Amino acid sequence: LAKTTQPISMDSYEGQEVNITCSHNNIATNDYITWYQQFPSQGPRFIIQGYKTKVTNEVASLFIPADRKSSTLSLPRVSLSDTAVYYCLVGDLYVYMNYGGATNKLIFGTGTLLAVQP
Amino acid sequence: NAGVTQTPKFQVLKTGQSMTLQCAQDMNHEYMSWYRQDPGMGLRLIHYSVGAGITDQGEVPNGYNVSRSTTEDFPLRLLSAAPSQTSVYFCASSTLDRDSGNTIYFGEGSWLTVV
């Protein structure tokens, strides 16, 4: 099981770039790295997903080094509305569900609370 | 787009009562799951399913039952409610297509209080 470790909390100011790092030392060959955002009183929402190198979409970038033992979510120019909990998730539903791996059930870690101040 | 729909949104139960949290998705997803989230905590997996007729336990299955009679629905039953089951419950679904990775879609949550 690819256990993940993230900082419990981070503080930032509006307009700054924020980088949240997730450690996953025992990531498996087939595992994807996925980040979710959760606002209070809402369900988590998909942000970005990657397998290796760099992935960018309209809201974030994901940096994955060659050894894939960590990943960094980068949020450019954060605003107050980016205050949320961010979860790093490592795994591969397709592999686990089609080829066994009953111990890998896409378990979420404790997440990182990002607080953006004016 | 409905996505993942959970009902009820809020529920108060007395200790020992039973109830069912409903979850439905309209995306034809094979994978469905239930998580609970306690205040200030992360998500913990209760049960999951990879298709109609197939269910399995997650991290914290005790006190809960599930069934999957159709692709769309995945109800969670509390057999005899206990105060320790006071939590927010999230239903989630995903396709098992090879290229989808782990894009999981969550419902808006069901707030359950057991007194």
Side-chain angles (χ1 to χ4, degrees), chain A residues 12-30:
Chain A
S12 182
Y13 292 94
E14 282 192 292
Q16 289 188 331
E17 177 185 73
V18 171
N19 296 309
I20 306 174
T21 296
C22 179
S23 297
H24 29 82
N25 290 322
N26 58 341
I27 186 170
T29 302
N30 294 311

Side-chain angles (χ1 to χ4, degrees), chain A residues 30 32 34 36 38 41-44 46 49 87 89 91-95 97-98 102 105-110, chain B residues 31 35 37 41-43 45 48 50 57-59 90 94-98 100-104 106-108 111:
Chain A
N30 294 311
Y32 286 85
T34 313
Y36 290 83
Q38 185 180 28
S41 303
Q42 294 186 24
F46 171 89
Q49 178 179 269
Y87 293 96
L89 190 64
D92 186 332
L93 259 180
Y94 176 86
V95 170
M97 299 305 168
N98 288 280
K105 300 171 184 176
L106 289 188
I107 295 173
F108 283 74
T110 54
Chain B
Y31 176 86
Y35 292 85
Q37 187 172 38
M41 304 287 287
L43 295 140
L45 182 65
Y48 69 96
V50 298
Q57 296 180 350
E59 300 174 87
F90 291 101
S94 176
T95 179
L96 291 177
D97 288 343
R98 185 62 186 94
S100 74
N102 301 309
T103 306
I104 303 174
F106 285 84
E108 290 301 306
W111 273 252

Side-chain angles (χ1 to χ4, degrees), chain B residues 4-110:
Chain B
V4 179
T5 304
Q6 293 181 230
T7 56
K9 183 83 169 176
F10 301 98
Q11 182 72 48
V12 178
L13 282 179
K14 293 183 179 178
T15 297
Q17 285 186 318
S18 62
M19 77 155 299
T20 299
L21 298 177
Q22 301 291 344
C23 176
Q25 52 92 7
D26 61 359
M27 297 172 281
N28 202 31
H29 285 168
E30 303 95 326
Y31 176 86
M32 295 186 74
S33 57
W34 278 99
Y35 292 85
R36 62 175 286 176
Q37 187 172 38
D38 300 324
M41 304 287 287
L43 295 140
R44 291 188 291 170
L45 182 65
I46 304 172
H47 285 285
Y48 69 96
S49 167
V50 298
I54 306 170
T55 64
D56 205 349
Q57 296 180 350
E59 300 174 87
V60 289
N62 293 339
Y64 306 95
N65 268 358
V66 292
S67 60
R68 185 95 178 267
S69 57
T70 66
T71 300
E72 295 78 17
D73 300 301
F74 191 46
L76 178 72
R77 279 182 285 276
L78 281 70
L79 308 173
S80 178
S84 61
Q85 293 179 302
T86 294
S87 190
V88 183
Y89 292 84
F90 291 101
C91 180
S93 74
S94 176
T95 179
L96 291 177
D97 288 343
R98 185 62 186 94
D99 295 329
S100 74
N102 301 309
T103 306
I104 303 174
Y105 298 85
F106 285 84
E108 290 301 306
S110 295

